[in-house]
Amino acid sequence: MSIAAVIYLGGWALFAWVGDSWLQLLVAAAMAVVFTQLGFLAHDLGHRQVFRKRRPSDVAGLVIGNLGVGLGWGWWTSKHNRHHANPNHEDHDPDVSPAVIVWSEDQVARSRGIPRFVAKYQAYWFFPLLTLEAWHLHVASVKALLKPGAKRRTTELSLITVHFVLYFGLVFTVLPLGKALVFLIVHQGLFGIYLGLSFAPNHKGMPVLTKEDKLDFLRKQVLTSRNVKGGWFTDLALGQLNYQIEHHLFPNMPAPNLRRAQPVVQAYCAEIGVDYLQTGLITSYGQALRHLHEVGAALR
C-alpha cells in the first residue's frame, strides 16, 4: 500500500513535470495501470483482508477508493459482496445482470433496445465497451450515493468530489483544452479496459446459474470460477485475483496467501470429483468471448 501511494503521487508529479506535451499520453497509460492497482487494494480492503478491525479497513478503503480513484468504495463493496454470495447467478449476481451485455440465452430472449442490438455481436463489442467501464463506475457510484439511505453519503460524496476537483483541476491547469480531453479519454479508457481485462477471466464464460440450480457452497463457488495460470507477473498484473477459486472459497484470506491455498484446494476438488478449471490468460479471454458469441447466436 505504501509503494502504491508513492507511485500514485509520483505519477501526478511526473504529469506536472512533463507539462504541455503529447508525451502526457504515456503518463495517462501509466496512471491507468496505477489506478487499477489501487482498485485491487480497495477490493482487498472491502473483503477485510488487510486489517483485523473494521474501522481501519473503512478508512483506508475510502481514501483509496473514493479519494484516490473516484469510485464509491462502500457502494462497490456492497455490490461485490452480493456477487460473492451468488456468483454468476442470473437473479442474484449484479455482475451478470443484463445491462448492455447479456450473459445467457434466456437474457437474450428477454432483452430489448440497446442490449438486444449489442447482443447480436457482443463478443466483438466487449473490449470496445470496456473503454466506458471506468466512467460507468464513476457515474454509478454517485447515483448510488444520492439514493435515500445510502451509508456514509456525506463522507463518500465529499471524498469523490475532492477527487474530481483535484483531478480535473490538475489536468485542465497543466494541459490546454484539446490535450486535456485526449488525456482524459486515454486515461479513463485504459483504466476501464484494464479493469475489464482483470475481472473478465474470473467468471465470464463459466456456467450461469438460475433458480433451478441447487448447489452447495463449494460447488457454487468453484464451478462458476476460473483460475489463471502464470508466475509473479500474472499475480501482479491481475492483483492475485487469478486465484479466483480460492478467493471465492475464502474471500477474507489475504491475497498473498491465495497461491499457497491453491494446490490444497485443487487436490481436494480432484478428490471429491468437482471440476476445477485453470487456464492461461489468453485462453480465458477466448473462453469468455466464445461464450458471449454463442449466447447471441439466436439473434444472428
Side-chain angles (χ1 to χ4, degrees):
M1 290 171 69
S2 300
I3 292 171
V6 169
I7 294 175
Y8 178 82
L9 296 174
W12 287 122
L14 177 64
F15 173 84
W17 179 75
V18 171
D20 183 2
S21 168
W22 286 111
L23 290 174
Q24 292 286 18
L25 298 187
L26 297 177
V27 179
M31 290 305 290
V33 174
V34 174
F35 269 47
T36 305
Q37 290 291 325
L38 287 178
F40 293 149
L41 291 174
H43 165 271
D44 294 352
L45 287 159
H47 281 295
R48 313 297 181 194
Q49 295 179 13
V50 183
F51 299 105
R52 293 187 205 176
K53 296 184 178 180
R54 177 178 294 273
R55 181 168 178 77
S57 297
D58 289 346
V59 171
L62 292 171
V63 169
I64 291 175
N66 293 60
L67 182 60
V69 182
L71 300 179
W73 180 76
W75 159 76
W76 186 86
T77 297
S78 174
K79 180 177 81 75
H80 188 63
N81 286 338
R82 296 200 304 276
H83 154 72
H84 265 263
N86 291 283
N88 267 27
H89 195 289
E90 275 193 351
D91 301 319
H92 304 302
D93 183 356
D95 289 352
V96 292
S97 60
V100 177
I101 298 291
V102 290
W103 306 102
S104 70
E105 293 178 1
D106 182 57
Q107 289 181 347
V108 168
R110 291 184 280 113
S111 64
R112 298 290 183 273
I114 292 177
R116 190 171 184 84
F117 170 78
V118 171
K120 191 173 183 179
Y121 295 104
Q122 61 183 359
Y124 300 99
W125 282 101
F126 183 69
F127 288 115
L129 285 171
L130 288 180
T131 60
L132 303 175
E133 178 62 15
W135 293 112
H136 162 70
L137 290 173
H138 294 311
V139 172
S141 297
V142 174
K143 288 174 63 176
L145 288 169
L146 291 177
K147 291 181 179 178
K151 292 179 63 177
R152 293 189 296 255
R153 174 191 292 181
T154 302
T155 301
E156 293 215 32
L157 279 176
S158 298
L159 289 171
I160 287 180
T161 301
V162 171
H163 167 84
F164 280 110
V165 167
L166 295 176
Y167 177 70
F168 289 124
L170 181 61
V171 171
F172 284 101
T173 298
V174 172
L175 298 176
L177 179 62
K179 287 178 182 173
L181 292 175
V182 174
F183 178 92
L184 294 175
I185 292 171
V186 171
H187 176 227
Q188 294 293 331
L190 291 179
F191 179 28
I193 289 175
Y194 188 5
L195 284 173
L197 290 176
S198 303
F199 289 102
N202 302 338
H203 301 281
K204 307 315 178 192
M206 299 301 291
V208 176
L209 305 180
T210 69
K211 60 184 178 181
E212 307 300 326
D213 296 297
K214 308 297 182 183
L215 300 177
D216 59 34
F217 175 79
L218 183 140
R219 287 167 176 81
K220 181 167 61 174
Q221 303 298 337
V222 174
L223 297 178
T224 60
S225 302
R226 177 196 295 111
N227 274 17
V228 176
K229 295 182 289 188
W232 67 268
F233 180 78
T234 303
D235 290 0
L236 178 63
L238 298 183
Q240 300 172 100
L241 293 175
N242 45 312
Y243 303 103
Q244 188 67 195
I245 293 173
E246 289 70 35
H247 172 57
H248 263 257
L249 290 173
F250 311 104
N252 66 342
M253 178 182 288
N257 287 337
L258 294 173
R259 62 183 178 84
R260 298 188 175 103
Q262 189 273 328
V264 180
V265 172
Q266 186 175 21
Y268 181 69
C269 286
E271 179 183 331
I272 63 174
V274 173
D275 289 339
Y276 181 105
L277 181 58
Q278 185 169 227
T279 70
L281 183 60
I282 302 303
T283 302
S284 72
Y285 295 138
Q287 291 174 350
L289 292 175
R290 280 194 296 274
H291 171 76
L292 290 176
H293 198 58
E294 290 167 4
V295 163
L299 299 179
R300 297 192 298 276

